[in-house]
Amino acid sequence: MTLLKRSLVAGAAAVAVLSAVVPLASAEEPAAAALPTAAVALGDSFISGEGGGDYAAVTDVNGVAQGFPGWSAPNNNAYFCHRSPNASLFRATLPGIQDRFNLACSGGQPHDIVNPSASREKGRTVASQLDQLRAVATTHDIDLVLVGLGSNNSSFTFGDAASVCANRFIADAWTGWWEFWAYLGGDVPQQPCNISDLATDAELAAATTETTTALRALLTTLDQVDADGQHRVVFQDYTNPLPTDYAQRYHEEDNRADDRDKFRALGAERYAAGCPAHRASMAAGHLFSQGLGNLVRSTHGTLSAEFPSADLVYLNVQGAFNGARLCEQDGSPGNALATPIRLMDGPSGTFVTDLSGRDKIAIQRIANSCVSYFQTCQESWHPNANGYGVLGQCLSGAATTGSRQVACVRQGDGSISVG
């Protein structure tokens, strides 16, 4: 039973008790014990809690709980789903919910809803999210499902989009346009990224189709396995970790802005602050976020029409970090709700927080560590623990709203509104 309906039913039941006493079952036929209620999270990194820290062990496809396997372990290890106890599912106020299950996986794609993630390239060794959901449904009455899906798909991924903009900025900051610059994947362009570098209209359309197909399977499965057949599904979109423009102090350093080559002091300053990207890339990044929002909104609209009796809510969180994105204010990343870009010099376990004084060979080596050992940079540009606290407030509102679409917005005073 959904949270909104549960509160209404509870009120009606109280009135009924005052007027009559009705036996629930005879001694010969005792009532079946009600299953404990559950909220479940499905989807990708913005739902699993990537960036939130304190990651829990994750059961792999063979039924083995995988704890931290070491920084040099293969990235397909189930642990790197990065399921955090600080994820929004655990930060939300959800009246009537007894237990919570985080089944999301960082890097999750629509494919992973129906199929084991390991059956695709760069997938992790976990069962399909629907199989994990079916297991929960054997012991719990699922009342709420939070799902975030679409930023990773067969056309593009959030991680690739982020690395395009960051790598171009770092290459531009440390080398001249005439110099050879080779990452493991080849030469890196040095111009700001544009929206076609991140996702084209055709790619977004294909991703929308993939996401809709996967979530259609989710709704069908819920109708089959939910104990009482009543549940709310919240479709959450994405919040951008970067602002539309940086605070003035991050515009230039040592009298150099980012519209010319070799601005190492500025490159080091922005990396330390968590936002190594050109100012000219900000517009493309926000077009990308808006495109993901349109993807989720479209999926919600299509499935609402196909499942007219389903309780489906679209939760827009694109304004949830307003005023507290990386480099939006002086003092970043300490005052931001998102994690900074952070790399390691090899799988050492120690994050490089300052690039000052590093030459281009060192920069190249550090950047390549992210390619070889993705877990060393995987947390970059995701909500941090405080950010998930805000997203938890967003979920709290979406779980009880009477609307089918709500926007969660951070106000100028830091308060959060959902409506």
Side-chain angles (χ1 to χ4, degrees):
M1 182 179 294
T2 63
L3 303 188
L4 184 62
K5 290 181 179 178
R6 184 179 297 280
S7 62
L8 295 175
V9 169
V15 174
V17 168
L18 292 175
S19 61
V21 177
V22 180
L24 297 178
S26 67
E28 292 78 14
E29 298 181 39
L35 293 175
T37 57
V40 179
L42 301 170
D44 59 27
S45 57
F46 281 70
I47 303 298
S48 73
E50 182 69 82
D54 300 323
Y55 305 112
V58 176
T59 301
D60 68 15
V61 71
N62 299 311
V64 178
Q66 297 289 341
F68 178 58
W71 288 109
S72 60
N75 191 252
N76 68 351
N77 189 285
Y79 174 83
F80 293 123
C81 281
H82 276 180
R83 294 175 179 170
S84 173
N86 296 312
S88 59
L89 179 74
F90 302 109
R91 307 294 294 278
T93 299
L94 303 174
I97 292 297
Q98 295 169 272
D99 296 306
R100 308 182 193 207
F101 297 87
N102 186 355
L103 309 182
C105 185
S106 184
Q109 298 189 12
H111 167 282
D112 305 345
I113 295 294
V114 177
N115 308 285
S117 178
S119 65
R120 64 167 173 83
E121 185 179 7
K122 296 184 179 179
R124 294 200 170 87
T125 55
V126 290
S128 76
Q129 293 191 23
L130 286 188
D131 279 350
Q132 296 176 64
L133 179 71
R134 292 184 184 99
V136 173
T138 63
T139 59
H140 287 76
D141 172 18
I142 298 172
D143 276 358
L144 180 71
V145 176
L146 169 65
V147 60
L149 202 65
S151 71
N152 308 307
N153 51 77
S154 61
S155 297
F156 58 83
T157 70
F158 171 79
D160 287 343
S163 65
V164 164
C165 295
N167 283 344
R168 289 186 179 191
F169 174 80
I170 294 297
D172 196 15
W174 262 267
T175 66
W177 62 268
W178 63 91
E179 295 179 88
F180 179 74
W181 184 266
Y183 285 89
L184 292 181
D187 292 353
V188 177
Q190 299 182 21
Q191 69 273 22
C193 55
N194 57 54
I195 185 57
S196 63
D197 296 319
L198 308 181
T200 65
D201 288 344
E203 289 172 334
L204 282 165
T208 301
T209 298
E210 282 184 33
T211 303
T212 302
T213 299
L215 296 188
R216 181 181 294 114
L218 166 63
L219 297 183
T220 300
T221 300
L222 280 168
D223 286 344
Q224 295 168 349
V225 303
D226 183 30
D228 62 6
Q230 298 185 66
H231 42 261
R232 169 163 290 186
V233 183
V234 176
F235 294 64
Q236 180 184 299
D237 65 8
Y238 299 89
T239 186
N240 196 310
L242 299 177
T244 54
D245 196 6
Y246 298 135
Q248 184 66 39
R249 69 160 296 171
Y250 303 112
H251 285 193
E252 64 177 52
E253 185 65 37
D254 197 23
N255 295 317
R256 285 178 179 254
D258 64 5
D259 55 358
R260 58 178 294 178
D261 63 296
K262 282 194 172 181
F263 41 89
R264 295 185 181 183
L266 178 60
E269 180 181 54
R270 285 195 193 158
Y271 177 83
C275 57
H278 293 91
R279 287 179 67 199
S281 295
M282 298 297 96
H286 280 267
L287 285 174
F288 180 62
S289 296
Q290 292 162 18
L292 294 178
N294 291 335
L295 182 160
V296 177
R297 182 186 295 106
S298 175
T299 298
H300 172 264
T302 297
L303 295 178
S304 294
E306 292 182 15
F307 296 79
S309 62
D311 186 4
L312 311 180
V313 174
Y314 166 51
L315 173 59
N316 180 336
V317 297
Q318 293 172 61
F321 288 5
N322 286 352
R325 297 182 175 94
L326 290 160
C327 299
E328 193 163 14
Q329 307 289 338
D330 289 359
S332 184
N335 56 6
L337 293 172
T339 57
I341 284 277
R342 284 295 178 259
L343 307 172
M344 294 183 188
D345 194 354
S348 63
T350 301
F351 288 109
V352 176
T353 58
D354 189 355
L355 296 180
S356 298
R358 307 263 184 165
D359 63 26
K360 60 188 177 184
I361 301 303
I363 299 296
Q364 180 188 45
R365 183 183 64 247
I366 292 168
N368 283 338
S369 294
C370 180
V371 178
S372 299
Y373 308 98
F374 182 59
Q375 57 270 19
T376 62
C377 60
Q378 185 174 319
E379 294 179 298
S380 299
W381 281 354
H382 283 83
N384 58 27
N386 290 333
Y388 283 115
V390 169
L391 293 177
Q393 294 181 59
C394 299
L395 177 58
S396 299
T400 55
T401 184
S403 303
R404 299 301 88 199
Q405 299 188 38
V406 292
C408 183
V409 179
R410 185 178 185 272
Q411 306 298 327
D413 63 358
S415 62
I416 305 300
S417 66
V418 183

